[in-house]
Amino acid sequence: MSSMSRPASAGLERIDSHDKLRLKGDVHPVAKKVAAVVACLVYMTISSALIVLNQQLMNEDGFRYPMALSGLGMGFSAVASYIACNVLRVVEIKRKMTLRFYMLRIMPVGLFMALTLHFGNTVYLYLTVSFIQMLKAFTPIATMVALFVAGLEFPAKRLILAVLLIAVGTAIASYGEVNLSVVGVLCMLASETFEATRLVMTQILLVGLKFHPIEGLMYLAPACFVWLMAGVAVVEWPAMRDNHALQLILNKPLWYFAAAAMGFCVNLLAYMVIQTASSLTLKVLGTIKNAIVVWIGIIFLQELVTKLQGFGYAVSLVGFCLYNYIKMQQMDQPQTDSKAQYTALPQIEPDRLGNRASA
């Protein structure tokens, strides 16, 4: 039997422990509701601020190196998640991982995550913040197609209808965009495609494995960081050296540190939202946050959004909400408790992992 066809659990050693971050069952209902509201508000605030901050660093401050910017976030997430699991032990490690397992199963997933982050940041060099949020509604289409091609999911008619609605809305929004950049749209489509591919590879290579999101980040972030740094060395470093890009970081160290740290914080806050509310709440917050960022772009960044573009975005949002509603119904069929679920590795929701301004 080949190494890739062996069960994903081969190469992992189980460690019996409990999750210290899980909310205890005897928490007062009022306290839990307050915690949920606070987690939701802070998640919305930080994730929205991260998008605007990264856009400002790339366009206003002149740090036009998307792989390097993504690498800052992944490097911070790798260190922070390691400290959380191995030093502070707020999350206890469930399994020990062999080097062979890591190279064969984690590194490939890290590659596609790095590509997702790279193109997700590159798009901000070509498109407005508002239009990028509109294009994010296209994500379910790429995911559904990738899962179908891999034979992991066969969509129902209702799901196909939802993604068609998203496609129509996205097409209308794109047609109404005044400063449309073909390169920018292609970068966004590439980011969504690589993210869908990453999700498929996660299901194939890590099938049956369940990590706490922070533990999963501890494994995935270093792999992604290595790929990003390899890309920086080959593609971006010559221009960074000639343009003294490192001096930009030294001039505003707190800005770049904040951008790196906020990516990890958003990932942690997303988990807290799921624990105190539900995974559906997180999806709804993501949709609302995208709409808020559109208005931030219009009001504070003076970005132009036409009526036709707004109509297309509204159509996409209807399809996006319908898609998530159908998916949540499907998830609830085998098991009804979505709060206590672990994922094989944390998904890249808007700005949850690393320093991705779009995702």
Side-chain angles (χ1 to χ4, degrees):
M1 181 179 296
S2 65
S3 60
M4 297 302 292
S5 61
R6 288 160 48 189
S9 57
L12 292 178
E13 179 183 345
R14 178 77 181 186
I15 299 178
D16 294 328
S17 62
H18 63 280
D19 177 11
K20 294 184 179 179
L21 281 185
R22 185 176 298 284
L23 293 178
K24 297 179 180 179
D26 57 353
V27 174
H28 194 279
V30 175
K32 188 172 183 179
K33 289 181 181 180
V34 172
V37 171
V38 172
C40 291
L41 291 176
V42 177
Y43 168 79
M44 294 274 287
T45 301
I46 294 183
S47 58
S48 299
L50 177 59
I51 293 176
V52 177
L53 177 57
N54 281 346
Q55 189 271 348
Q56 291 293 304
L57 291 178
M58 296 183 69
N59 290 295
E60 301 301 326
D61 200 43
F63 194 83
R64 303 172 67 85
Y65 310 101
M67 274 189 284
L69 190 60
S70 299
L72 289 177
M74 279 293 96
F76 184 93
S77 294
V79 174
S81 57
Y82 179 86
I83 293 175
C85 294
N86 292 282
V87 180
L88 301 179
R89 298 189 181 278
V90 293
V91 175
E92 295 191 23
I93 301 175
K94 298 286 183 179
R95 294 175 173 88
K96 289 183 178 179
M97 189 173 296
T98 65
L99 178 61
R100 177 181 177 82
F101 181 93
Y102 193 89
M103 296 301 296
L104 292 178
R105 298 184 184 273
I106 300 297
M107 288 299 291
V109 177
L111 170 61
F112 282 93
M113 182 178 174
L115 291 170
T116 299
L117 295 174
H118 165 58
F119 284 101
N121 267 344
T122 301
V123 70
Y124 276 81
L125 299 175
Y126 299 96
L127 299 176
T128 63
V129 171
S130 300
F131 186 46
I132 291 171
Q133 307 314 305
M134 298 179 187
L135 291 179
K136 288 179 185 178
F138 188 80
T139 304
I141 300 178
T143 302
M144 188 188 73
V145 171
L147 291 172
F148 176 76
V149 171
L152 297 176
E153 182 177 293
F154 298 93
K157 292 181 179 180
R158 291 190 306 161
L159 209 58
I160 295 176
L161 176 63
V163 297
L164 287 177
L165 199 60
I166 294 172
V168 171
T170 303
I172 295 175
S174 300
Y175 184 77
E177 169 65 16
V178 176
N179 300 312
L180 181 66
S181 167
V182 176
V183 175
V185 172
L186 291 177
C187 286
M188 189 66 185
L189 293 178
S191 177
E192 304 297 353
T193 301
F194 285 128
E195 166 62 357
T197 305
R198 186 195 71 86
L199 292 175
V200 170
M201 293 187 68
T202 297
Q203 293 195 33
I204 294 176
L205 297 179
L206 302 174
V207 60
L209 297 182
K210 294 181 180 180
F211 296 110
H212 184 284
I214 304 301
E215 182 186 2
L217 187 60
M218 182 185 67
Y219 296 130
L220 183 59
C224 181
F225 178 78
V226 168
W227 288 116
L228 286 170
M229 289 301 99
V232 168
V234 175
V235 179
E236 295 182 346
W237 176 247
M240 291 178 64
R241 180 190 58 214
D242 296 340
N243 296 322
H244 307 287
L246 295 182
Q247 188 61 43
L248 294 175
I249 300 178
L250 295 177
N251 290 340
K252 298 178 180 178
L254 292 181
W255 284 36
Y256 288 89
F257 177 81
M262 286 164 68
F264 176 78
C265 292
V266 168
N267 188 70
L268 180 60
L269 287 166
Y271 173 70
M272 293 177 64
V273 170
I274 294 175
Q275 287 294 297
T276 57
S278 68
S279 56
L280 177 60
T281 300
L282 182 64
K283 291 181 180 294
V284 172
L285 289 178
T287 303
I288 296 174
K289 186 261 299 181
N290 287 345
I292 292 175
V293 174
V294 169
W295 282 104
I296 290 176
I298 296 173
I299 297 174
F300 296 102
L301 303 179
Q302 285 77 49
E303 296 177 347
L304 177 62
V305 175
T306 64
K307 293 181 179 179
L308 181 61
Q309 200 174 3
F311 173 74
Y313 183 46
V315 173
S316 296
L317 282 182
V318 172
F320 189 78
C321 293
L322 179 60
Y323 174 90
N324 282 326
Y325 175 74
I326 296 172
K327 293 298 291 184
M328 291 303 299
Q329 282 188 324
Q330 294 176 349
M331 290 175 61
D332 287 341
Q333 288 176 357
Q335 53 190 19
T336 57
D337 182 15
S338 62
K339 298 180 183 179
Q341 296 309 308
Y342 289 80
T343 54
L345 281 175
Q347 298 184 11
I348 304 181
E349 296 291 346
D351 319 300
R352 282 181 56 186
L353 293 182
N355 223 25
R356 185 186 180 195
S358 66

